[in-house]
Amino acid sequence: MKTNLSIVTIGNINAGKSSLINALLEKDVCSIGAKGGSTRAAESFKLNTYGIHTDKLSLEIIDTPGLSEVDGKERASIAINAAYKGDLIIFVVKSDLLDTEKHTIKLLSDINKPILLVFNQIDRYTEREKQDIANSLIKNVQGYIREENIFFTAACPVQKIIKI
């Protein structure tokens, strides 16, 4: 019997879902852009099982369109439907939670699947801002996402410019 595990990334436009997938796969498989809206459909990518030598395990990660795109209700629906079908949800944010993100997290928590909250683009904030946002995230997802399921990353770090 083959075990398939489907991991779905979901979040607002430009949160860094595609960048996170590129970082996890260590190659550019997803289109990314500053404008946002690059992802128009759910797209699946096979994950490396990192040394698990078996043909009984298949891991895939699914990139989805952003939730709050202009004229994007259809794209948001694609993302939500993918989350319902997946086994694990990675909810990607790039700042404190917006109302649409809070609503979606509450909606997704009702389907009783594990949810990881990934605060991406952390490199864009000062240490104080990071702590403030972390505290707010923990408070805002209490009862929906456990604190130990909140992670912080910079999937596509910003190059720091140093003046000399």
Side-chain angles (χ1 to χ4, degrees):
M1 184 171 90
K2 189 168 187 170
T3 301
N4 297 313
L5 179 65
S6 180
I7 303 164
V8 179
T9 60
I10 191 167
N12 270 342
I13 187 172
N14 265 0
K17 300 175 298 295
S18 299
S19 294
L20 182 62
I21 290 172
N22 287 344
L24 289 169
L25 295 176
E26 299 178 328
K27 58 184 170 183
D28 293 335
V29 295
C30 298
S31 299
I32 59 172
K35 183 179 174 194
S38 300
T39 307
R40 298 182 183 279
E43 190 171 358
S44 175
F45 302 95
K46 187 170 174 50
L47 277 166
N48 187 333
T49 55
Y50 294 103
I52 300 171
H53 300 291
T54 179
D55 58 357
K56 295 181 181 180
L57 177 63
S58 173
L59 298 175
E60 70 174 344
I61 190 161
I62 300 169
D63 193 19
T64 62
L67 295 173
S68 295
E69 296 188 32
V70 176
D71 297 328
K73 286 189 178 194
E74 182 180 321
R75 291 191 204 174
S77 179
I78 291 168
I80 298 292
N81 287 334
Y84 272 85
K85 293 176 187 172
D87 300 303
L88 171 70
I89 299 165
I90 298 178
F91 200 100
V92 183
V93 298
K94 66 177 183 178
S95 64
D96 200 0
L97 290 179
L98 302 172
D99 287 340
T100 57
E101 292 167 321
K102 288 179 193 177
H103 172 76
T104 305
I105 287 171
K106 289 176 184 177
L107 176 76
L108 293 175
S109 70
D110 288 340
I111 62 176
N112 293 320
K113 294 184 183 183
I115 302 173
L116 305 180
L117 180 66
V118 175
F119 174 21
N120 192 21
Q121 303 181 26
I122 194 167
D123 57 319
R124 298 173 186 248
Y125 295 95
T126 66
E127 289 304 316
R128 175 70 181 161
E129 291 169 329
K130 290 176 196 177
Q131 191 58 55
D132 289 345
I133 293 171
N135 291 337
S136 181
L137 288 174
I138 291 166
K139 179 182 170 192
N140 281 314
V141 300
Q142 191 171 22
Y144 303 106
I145 299 175
R146 295 179 8 213
E147 186 174 343
E148 59 267 21
N149 288 349
I150 301 174
F151 299 90
F152 304 86
T153 190
C156 188
V158 174
Q159 297 283 334
K160 301 285 184 191
I161 299 173
I162 301 172
K163 285 190 174 184
I164 300 178

